[in-house]
């Protein structure tokens, strides 16, 4: 596909998203109907779509054609070459389109920061003088991070193995055993270091949260909202004498965990919801609760535009239910870790304060709010212990 044809494909996908389609589903449908597109073409179209979605409001929030024009203008691409009308490229720009692109847009803060109007006051209340920066940083692509599986080998071995497959990395400045991919991130899932379990894909913020979770020797650790099981795998790697368990209210999310655990050389027991109450209490219960994902919107920009006030209220209720369900599973002297990949106070410290008001026997040991930046996603953690 030519660059212009890729732009045309992105326009078609964006128009479907504007009509209500989920981004991933729209991209998958386009790929299935475009067998002529190679892997590089699919990656380029996906990049175009996600680059637009990260900055949809500040790019004008119009139809796919207008959004791609403004993305091209922002990136300094040759508009006439991309919109040439030749082959499968979009039609040339009209005089009206050229005039519109030449006119600076007058943007309010919420528009410039690509935050929905209804959410902007909540965003400001949550982030204060960091509200603008935390929003603007999410207009760009997130970095790819890897966790080195220390059971398989040291960081130097992982770095060399990745280099053998053309993947460049640098060590994270503050998170031990974490690598940031600098070259060829799309090769990671097919490289030897990944396939033999030497490295795992995991954001630096998640790695840091696990590393900062204290656990006694031989601890029983439960990843309560495990999802794909990335944190359970990290716990099993760090705490070699621990017994690590994974649970998720939607068990299908854990379907790949046995294979991932085998590749990593660790043992993780999967616990269905019905079996939790029968288990001995856990020394650590880690709850990465369902949330808005507002600290990870660089990776899932579609989620930002699909979030509504009602949806946020439903998530807050789900978070309260997670804490209520997890607390009884913690052993005497154990710790309950509440975490989200959100930067909204409603989902973080306010949720914890509400839990403690309902459960006065629990107290906060400490909490940490990380904001999205070049070194990782936004992430909140709070350590709770019984008084």
């Amino acid at each position: 596909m030519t660059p212009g044809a890729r732009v045309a494909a992105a326009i078609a996908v964006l128009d479907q998203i504007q009509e209500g389609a989920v981004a991933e589903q729209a991209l998958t449908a386009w790929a299935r109907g475009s067998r002529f597109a190679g892997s590089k073409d699919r990656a380029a179209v996906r990049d175009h779509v996600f680059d637009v979605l990260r900055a949809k409001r500040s790019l004008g929030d119009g139809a796919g054609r207008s959004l791609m024009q403004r993305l091209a203008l922002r990136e300094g691409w040759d508009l006439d070459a991309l919109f040439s009308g030749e082959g499968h490229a979009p039609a040339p720009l009209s005089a009206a389109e050229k005039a519109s692109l030449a006119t600076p847009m007058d943007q309010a803060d919420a528009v410039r920061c690509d935050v929905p109007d209804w959410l902007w006051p909540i965003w400001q209340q949550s982030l204060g003088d960091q509200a603008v920066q935390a929003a603007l940083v999410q207009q760009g692509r997130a970095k790819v991070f890897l966790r080195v599986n220390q059971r398989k080998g040291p960081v130097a071995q992982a770095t060399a193995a990745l280099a053998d497959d053309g993947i460049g990395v640098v060590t994270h400045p503050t998170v031990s055993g974490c690598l940031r991919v600098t070259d060829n991130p799309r090769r990671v899932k097919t490289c030897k270091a990944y396939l033999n379990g030497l490295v795992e894909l995991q954001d630096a913020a998640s790695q840091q949260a696990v590393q900062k979770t204290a656990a006694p020797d031989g601890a029983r650790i439960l990843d309560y909202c495990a999802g794909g099981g990335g944190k359970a795998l990290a716990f099993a790697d760090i705490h070699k004498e621990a017994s690590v368990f994974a649970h998720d209210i939607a068990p299908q999310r854990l379907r790949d965990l046995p294979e991932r655990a085998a590749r990593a050389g660790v043992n993780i027991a999967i616990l269905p919801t019905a079996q939790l109450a029968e288990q001995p209490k856990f020394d650590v219960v880690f709850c990465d609760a369902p949330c808005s994902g507002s600290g990870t919107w660089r990776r899932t920009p579609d989620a930002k535009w699909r979030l509504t006030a009602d949806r946020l209220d439903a998530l807050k209720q789900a978070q309260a239910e997670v804490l209520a369900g997890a607390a009884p599973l913690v052993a005497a002297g154990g710790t309950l870790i509440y975490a989200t990949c959100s930067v909204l106070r409603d989902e973080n410290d306010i949720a914890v304060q509400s839990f403690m008001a309902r459960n006065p026997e629990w107290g906060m040991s400490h909490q940490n709010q990380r904001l999205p930046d070049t070194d990782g996603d936004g992430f909140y953690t709070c350590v709770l212990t019984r008084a």
Side-chain angles (χ1 to χ4, degrees):
M1 295 176 68
T2 65
R6 291 171 173 176
V7 167
I11 289 171
V13 173
L14 286 165
D15 285 340
Q16 291 180 30
I17 294 169
Q18 293 284 61
E19 293 172 2
V22 176
E24 289 289 356
Q25 294 175 357
L27 283 163
T28 299
W30 170 79
R32 287 176 177 169
S34 307
R35 300 297 184 184
F36 55 85
S39 60
K40 292 183 178 179
D41 297 321
R42 294 193 298 272
V45 172
R46 181 185 180 86
D47 284 346
H48 287 339
V49 169
F50 275 71
D51 285 344
V52 165
L53 291 178
R54 291 185 189 99
K56 186 160 70 85
R57 293 198 77 188
S58 61
L59 291 173
D61 204 13
R65 179 177 169 88
S66 173
L67 288 166
M68 281 304 304
Q69 287 172 9
R70 291 201 174 274
L71 177 67
L73 185 67
R74 188 191 79 179
E75 297 298 318
W77 300 338
D78 187 338
L79 275 161
D80 290 332
L82 293 174
F83 290 80
S84 64
E86 298 176 0
H88 297 284
L93 272 63
S94 66
E97 287 174 329
K98 290 180 179 179
S100 176
L101 291 172
T103 304
M105 292 188 293
D106 185 15
Q107 297 182 333
D109 283 345
V111 176
R112 178 171 65 93
C113 292
D114 283 295
V115 175
D117 285 334
W118 71 268
L119 184 60
W120 183 242
I122 299 172
W123 188 271
Q124 288 180 299
Q125 291 163 11
S126 296
L127 295 161
D129 59 4
Q130 295 175 299
V132 171
Q133 178 59 24
L136 293 179
V137 75
Q138 299 211 73
Q139 291 175 336
R141 298 178 190 176
K143 305 298 182 182
V144 175
F145 293 94
L146 303 174
R147 177 179 61 80
V148 177
N149 182 358
Q150 304 292 331
R151 291 183 182 240
K152 293 280 187 173
V155 170
Q157 180 181 336
T159 301
L162 290 163
D164 287 342
D165 282 321
I167 301 169
V169 295
V170 294
T171 56
H172 194 280
T174 60
V175 182
S176 175
C178 178
L179 301 173
R180 176 168 62 83
V181 179
T182 57
D183 301 296
N184 296 317
R186 288 193 169 93
R187 294 186 187 178
V188 168
K189 285 193 173 182
T190 58
C191 75
K192 292 179 181 178
Y194 178 82
L195 294 175
N196 67 20
L198 181 56
V199 297
E200 273 283 351
L201 284 160
Q202 188 174 33
D203 185 71
S206 295
Q207 295 186 48
Q208 186 177 57
V210 172
Q211 290 181 13
K212 288 185 175 295
T213 299
D217 291 341
R220 288 172 52 81
I221 301 174
L222 173 63
D223 187 357
Y224 184 71
C225 303
K231 294 180 186 66
L233 290 168
F235 275 121
D237 180 25
I238 294 171
H239 301 283
K240 295 178 173 54
E241 303 303 320
S243 298
V244 180
F245 301 82
H247 161 268
D248 198 279
I249 194 68
Q252 67 272 17
R253 295 173 186 157
L254 292 165
R255 63 182 178 274
D256 296 331
L257 182 55
E259 179 183 341
R260 295 178 70 191
R263 188 171 68 231
V266 299
N267 294 314
I268 297 174
I270 295 176
L271 294 177
T273 303
Q275 294 182 12
L276 288 175
E278 304 169 1
Q279 291 288 315
K281 304 296 185 183
F282 299 90
D283 299 292
V284 175
V285 177
F286 193 103
C287 302
D288 188 357
C291 70
S292 64
S294 54
T296 63
W297 278 341
R298 288 179 293 188
R299 302 182 190 280
T300 56
D302 196 29
K304 171 166 58 176
W305 308 117
R306 292 185 171 279
L307 184 68
T308 63
D310 288 344
R311 173 60 179 158
L312 182 57
D313 286 341
L315 287 167
K316 288 155 61 177
Q317 178 60 36
Q319 290 151 9
E321 291 171 359
V322 163
L323 281 166
L329 305 175
V330 182
T335 54
L336 173 62
I337 315 296
Y338 175 75
T340 73
C341 53
S342 174
V343 297
L344 303 179
R345 290 193 63 218
D346 285 34
E347 299 184 277
N348 296 337
D349 57 312
I350 292 176
V352 172
Q353 294 293 340
S354 297
F355 167 75
M356 291 191 299
R358 296 188 301 271
N359 301 273
E361 72 276 18
W362 285 91
M364 182 191 301
S365 173
H366 60 270
Q367 63 179 338
N368 179 63
Q369 175 70 73
R370 195 190 186 289
L371 300 183
D373 57 22
T374 56
D375 290 329
D377 292 335
F379 205 82
Y380 172 83
T381 51
C382 177
V383 179
L384 295 160
T385 56
R386 281 195 182 90

